[in-house]
Amino acid sequence: MGQATGSRILGSGSALPARVLTNADLAAQIDTSDEWIVERTGIRQRYIAGEGETTASLAIEAAKAALADAGLEAKDIGLIVVATATPDNTFPATATKVQHALGCNGGVAFDVAAVCSGFLYALTTADSLLTTGTAKRALVIGAETFSRILDWEDRTTCVLFGDGAGAVVLEAADAANPASAGGPGVLASRLHADGANHDLLYVDGGPSTTQTVGHLRMKGREVFRHAVVNLSSVLKEVIEDAGVSADDIDWVVPHQANARILDATAKKLGIAPEKIIVTVDKHANTSAASVPLAFDVARRDGRIKSGDLVMFEAMGGGFTWGASLVRI
Ligand code: ACO
């Protein structure tokens, strides 16, 4: 094998908690309705972690499914990156729990905190570490249990989120067949952050401030406006970096926050709505898990195939945002 030039995706997996919570279930608990939630967000149901289900347990299940899909064993993995804003513990990193459960101790394992953009941050970091030779193969996982940081009496936020995990296996790509020459792999990635908007989307607790876990707080309308502007701009950057046109993209796998954000962003870029993978109706917003979860759903149902050009994109608290263009 020659020197690595980036990395490629070998397989994917995902995991969802057993319990489904529908909009009708929520309407029985708080002052909301199925009509309001569907019209404003596209969400019809979400999965909620039960007793014994945690961010790590969902991550482990998704990782095992991704390894099986790639035809690999845990010993083949030298790097595990878990994107999460809802770790099992403040420390150690959830990634080390996943590593131990899989039985591939000794490699590199750490968490990335970029909230809903976490999978993009984790993918780009793992791609760089594989390119520089830190490991040959990586598990990149987005896993969350947002149900545990929601204020279940705040109808403006609690209807929007769900729990789950998604994972991909990445392998250092061969210089003889780089993505730039038509081979499989990451073609271009861009990440951004702007801490000025902290108060629009944050958790009002933490170990160093309140010594509590805290609850999610959001000014939804403002977040919506920033999301459309930031996502359109980062997508344009990645399309330009990769030297492709919007028409060349086979599939967009966006962060699943809100069907209206997906529609508005696609319209701005002139991407056909049927190229957008949508799972927000079933999963709601699973933060860092949403992109790999949606990717796995669309690979397993046969929509995303080998050779397809796939755009991943997300924006979340911070604000943080990013996009990656990958040939499968
Ligand atoms: N059920 C019924 N009524 C509700 C609910 C609810 N669950 N929540 C709010 N309302 C009411 C409000 O109280 C308000 O009533 P009022 O007019 O009497 O004051 C009315 O509905 C309108 O509220 P808005 O907040 O203005 O509604 P909006 O149309 O902006 O939709 C929403 C809210 C869905 C949150 C939207 O702003 C949004 O999707 N924003 C994006 C935020 C997001 O998705 N964040 C996810 C994390 S960030 C990311 O992933 C990109």
Side-chain angles (χ1 to χ4, degrees), residues 252-292:
V252 180
V253 183
H255 170 47
Q256 310 283 322
N258 180 312
R260 289 187 301 149
I261 296 180
L262 306 189
D263 293 344
T265 311
K267 202 175 269 176
K268 265 195 148 193
L269 287 167
I271 292 176
E274 58 272 19
K275 288 185 172 183
I276 316 277
I277 305 296
V278 180
T279 56
V280 70
D281 53 333
K282 294 193 184 69
H283 301 160
N285 182 345
T286 57
S287 186
S290 91
V291 170

Coordinates of all heavy atoms in Angstrom, one line a residue, residues 252-292:
V252 N -27.6 14.0 -0.9 CA -27.2 14.8 0.2 C -27.7 14.1 1.5 O -28.9 13.8 1.6 CB -27.8 16.2 0.1 CG1 -27.4 17.1 1.3 CG2 -27.4 16.9 -1.2
V253 N -26.8 13.9 2.5 CA -27.2 13.4 3.8 C -27.0 14.5 4.8 O -26.0 14.7 5.3 CB -26.4 12.1 4.1 CG1 -26.9 11.5 5.4 CG2 -26.4 11.1 3.0
P254 N -28.1 15.2 5.0 CA -28.0 16.4 5.9 C -28.3 16.0 7.4 O -28.9 15.0 7.7 CB -29.1 17.3 5.4 CG -30.1 16.4 4.8 CD -29.5 15.1 4.5
H255 N -27.8 16.9 8.3 CA -28.3 16.8 9.7 C -29.8 16.9 9.7 O -30.3 17.8 9.1 CB -27.6 17.9 10.5 CG -28.2 18.0 11.9 ND1 -28.4 16.9 12.7 CD2 -28.6 19.0 12.6 CE1 -28.9 17.3 13.8 NE2 -29.1 18.6 13.8
Q256 N -30.5 16.0 10.4 CA -31.9 16.0 10.4 C -32.5 16.8 11.6 O -32.9 16.3 12.6 CB -32.4 14.5 10.5 CG -31.7 13.6 9.6 CD -32.3 13.7 8.1 OE1 -33.5 13.9 8.0 NE2 -31.4 13.6 7.2
A257 N -32.5 18.1 11.4 CA -33.1 19.0 12.5 C -34.5 19.3 12.2 O -35.3 19.3 13.1 CB -32.3 20.3 12.6
N258 N -34.8 19.6 10.9 CA -36.1 20.1 10.6 C -36.3 20.0 9.1 O -35.5 20.5 8.4 CB -36.1 21.6 11.1 CG -37.4 22.3 10.8 OD1 -37.9 22.2 9.7 ND2 -37.9 23.0 11.8
A259 N -37.4 19.5 8.7 CA -37.7 19.3 7.2 C -37.6 20.6 6.5 O -37.2 20.7 5.3 CB -39.0 18.6 7.0
R260 N -38.0 21.7 7.2 CA -38.1 23.0 6.5 C -36.6 23.5 6.2 O -36.4 24.2 5.2 CB -38.9 24.0 7.3 CG -40.4 23.7 7.2 CD -41.2 24.8 7.8 NE -40.8 25.0 9.2 CZ -40.9 26.2 9.8 NH1 -41.2 27.2 9.2 NH2 -40.5 26.3 11.1
I261 N -35.7 23.2 7.2 CA -34.3 23.6 6.9 C -33.7 22.8 5.7 O -33.0 23.4 4.9 CB -33.4 23.4 8.2 CG1 -33.9 24.2 9.4 CG2 -31.9 23.6 7.9 CD1 -33.0 24.0 10.7
L262 N -34.1 21.6 5.7 CA -33.6 20.7 4.6 C -34.1 21.3 3.2 O -33.3 21.4 2.3 CB -34.0 19.3 4.7 CG -33.7 18.5 6.0 CD1 -34.0 17.1 5.9 CD2 -32.3 18.7 6.4
D263 N -35.4 21.6 3.2 CA -36.0 22.1 1.9 C -35.4 23.4 1.5 O -35.0 23.6 0.4 CB -37.5 22.3 2.1 CG -38.2 21.0 2.3 OD1 -37.6 19.9 2.0 OD2 -39.4 21.0 2.8
A264 N -35.2 24.3 2.5 CA -34.8 25.7 2.2 C -33.3 25.6 1.7 O -32.9 26.3 0.8 CB -34.9 26.6 3.4
T265 N -32.5 24.8 2.4 CA -31.1 24.7 2.0 C -30.9 24.1 0.6 O -30.2 24.6 -0.3 CB -30.3 23.8 3.0 OG1 -30.6 24.3 4.3 CG2 -28.8 23.9 2.8
A266 N -31.7 23.0 0.3 CA -31.6 22.4 -1.0 C -32.1 23.3 -2.1 O -31.4 23.4 -3.2 CB -32.5 21.1 -1.0
K267 N -33.1 24.1 -1.8 CA -33.6 25.1 -2.8 C -32.6 26.1 -3.2 O -32.3 26.4 -4.3 CB -34.9 25.7 -2.3 CG -35.8 26.3 -3.4 CD -37.1 26.8 -2.8 CE -38.2 25.8 -2.8 NZ -39.4 26.3 -2.1
K268 N -31.9 26.6 -2.1 CA -30.9 27.7 -2.3 C -29.7 27.2 -3.2 O -29.1 27.9 -3.9 CB -30.2 28.1 -0.9 CG -30.9 29.3 -0.4 CD -30.1 29.9 0.8 CE -30.2 31.4 0.8 NZ -29.3 32.1 1.6
L269 N -29.4 25.9 -3.1 CA -28.3 25.3 -3.9 C -28.8 24.7 -5.2 O -28.0 24.3 -6.0 CB -27.6 24.2 -3.1 CG -26.8 24.7 -2.0 CD1 -26.4 23.6 -1.1 CD2 -25.5 25.4 -2.5
G270 N -30.1 24.7 -5.5 CA -30.6 24.1 -6.7 C -30.4 22.5 -6.7 O -30.2 22.0 -7.8
I271 N -30.5 21.9 -5.5 CA -30.4 20.4 -5.5 C -31.8 19.9 -5.4 O -32.6 20.3 -4.6 CB -29.6 20.0 -4.2 CG1 -28.1 20.4 -4.4 CG2 -29.7 18.5 -4.0 CD1 -27.2 20.1 -3.3
A272 N -32.1 18.9 -6.3 CA -33.4 18.3 -6.4 C -33.8 17.7 -5.0 O -33.0 17.0 -4.4 CB -33.5 17.3 -7.5
P273 N -35.1 17.9 -4.6 CA -35.5 17.4 -3.3 C -35.4 15.9 -3.2 O -35.2 15.3 -2.1 CB -37.0 17.8 -3.2 CG -37.3 18.7 -4.3 CD -36.1 18.7 -5.2
E274 N -35.5 15.2 -4.3 CA -35.5 13.7 -4.2 C -34.1 13.2 -4.0 O -33.9 12.0 -3.7 CB -36.1 13.0 -5.5 CG -35.5 13.4 -6.8 CD -36.2 14.7 -7.4 OE1 -36.8 15.4 -6.7 OE2 -36.0 14.9 -8.6
K275 N -33.1 14.1 -4.0 CA -31.7 13.6 -3.7 C -31.4 13.8 -2.2 O -30.2 13.5 -1.8 CB -30.7 14.5 -4.5 CG -30.7 14.2 -6.0 CD -29.6 15.0 -6.6 CE -29.3 14.6 -8.1 NZ -28.2 15.4 -8.7
I276 N -32.3 14.3 -1.5 CA -32.0 14.6 0.0 C -32.5 13.4 0.8 O -33.7 13.0 0.7 CB -32.8 15.8 0.5 CG1 -32.7 17.0 -0.5 CG2 -32.4 16.2 1.9 CD1 -31.5 17.8 -0.5
I277 N -31.7 12.8 1.6 CA -32.1 11.7 2.4 C -32.8 12.3 3.7 O -32.2 13.1 4.4 CB -30.9 10.8 2.9 CG1 -30.1 10.3 1.7 CG2 -31.3 9.7 3.8 CD1 -30.8 9.4 0.7
V278 N -34.0 11.9 3.9 CA -34.8 12.4 5.0 C -35.2 11.3 6.0 O -35.8 10.3 5.6 CB -36.1 13.1 4.5 CG1 -36.9 13.7 5.7 CG2 -35.7 14.2 3.5
T279 N -34.8 11.5 7.3 CA -35.2 10.5 8.3 C -35.8 11.3 9.5 O -36.2 10.6 10.5 CB -34.0 9.7 8.8 OG1 -33.0 10.5 9.2 CG2 -33.5 8.7 7.7
V280 N -35.9 12.6 9.4 CA -36.3 13.4 10.5 C -37.8 13.0 11.0 O -38.1 13.1 12.1 CB -36.2 14.9 10.2 CG1 -37.2 15.4 9.2 CG2 -36.3 15.8 11.5
D281 N -38.6 12.5 10.0 CA -39.9 12.1 10.3 C -39.9 11.0 11.3 O -40.8 10.9 12.2 CB -40.7 11.7 9.1 CG -40.0 10.7 8.2 OD1 -38.7 10.6 8.3 OD2 -40.6 9.9 7.5
K282 N -39.0 10.1 11.2 CA -38.9 8.9 12.1 C -38.0 9.0 13.3 O -38.3 8.5 14.4 CB -38.5 7.6 11.3 CG -39.4 7.2 10.2 CD -39.1 5.8 9.7 CE -40.0 5.4 8.6 NZ -39.7 6.2 7.3
H283 N -36.9 9.7 13.1 CA -35.9 9.8 14.2 C -35.9 11.1 15.0 O -35.3 11.2 16.0 CB -34.5 9.7 13.6 CG -34.2 8.4 12.9 ND1 -33.2 8.2 12.0 CD2 -34.9 7.2 12.9 CE1 -33.2 7.0 11.5 NE2 -34.2 6.4 12.0
A284 N -36.5 12.2 14.4 CA -36.4 13.5 15.0 C -34.9 14.0 14.9 O -34.2 13.4 14.1 CB -37.0 13.7 16.3
N285 N -34.6 14.9 15.7 CA -33.2 15.4 15.7 C -32.3 14.6 16.7 O -32.6 14.8 17.9 CB -33.2 16.9 16.0 CG -31.8 17.5 16.0 OD1 -30.8 16.8 16.0 ND2 -31.7 18.8 16.0
T286 N -31.4 13.8 16.2 CA -30.6 13.0 17.1 C -29.2 13.6 17.2 O -28.2 12.9 17.4 CB -30.5 11.5 16.6 OG1 -30.0 11.5 15.3 CG2 -31.9 10.8 16.7
S287 N -29.1 14.9 16.9 CA -27.8 15.6 17.0 C -26.7 14.9 16.3 O -26.9 14.6 15.1 CB -27.5 15.8 18.5 OG -26.3 16.6 18.7
A288 N -25.5 14.6 16.9 CA -24.4 14.0 16.2 C -24.7 12.7 15.5 O -24.0 12.3 14.6 CB -23.2 13.9 17.1
A289 N -25.8 12.0 15.9 CA -26.1 10.7 15.4 C -26.8 10.8 14.1 O -26.9 9.8 13.3 CB -26.9 9.9 16.4
S290 N -27.4 12.0 13.8 CA -28.4 12.0 12.7 C -27.8 11.8 11.3 O -28.4 11.1 10.5 CB -29.2 13.3 12.8 OG -28.6 14.3 12.0
V291 N -26.6 12.3 11.0 CA -26.0 12.1 9.7 C -25.7 10.6 9.5 O -26.1 10.0 8.5 CB -24.9 13.1 9.5 CG1 -24.1 12.7 8.2 CG2 -25.3 14.5 9.4
P292 N -24.9 10.0 10.4 CA -24.5 8.6 10.1 C -25.8 7.7 10.2 O -25.8 6.6 9.5 CB -23.5 8.2 11.2 CG -23.7 9.2 12.3 CD -24.2 10.5 11.6

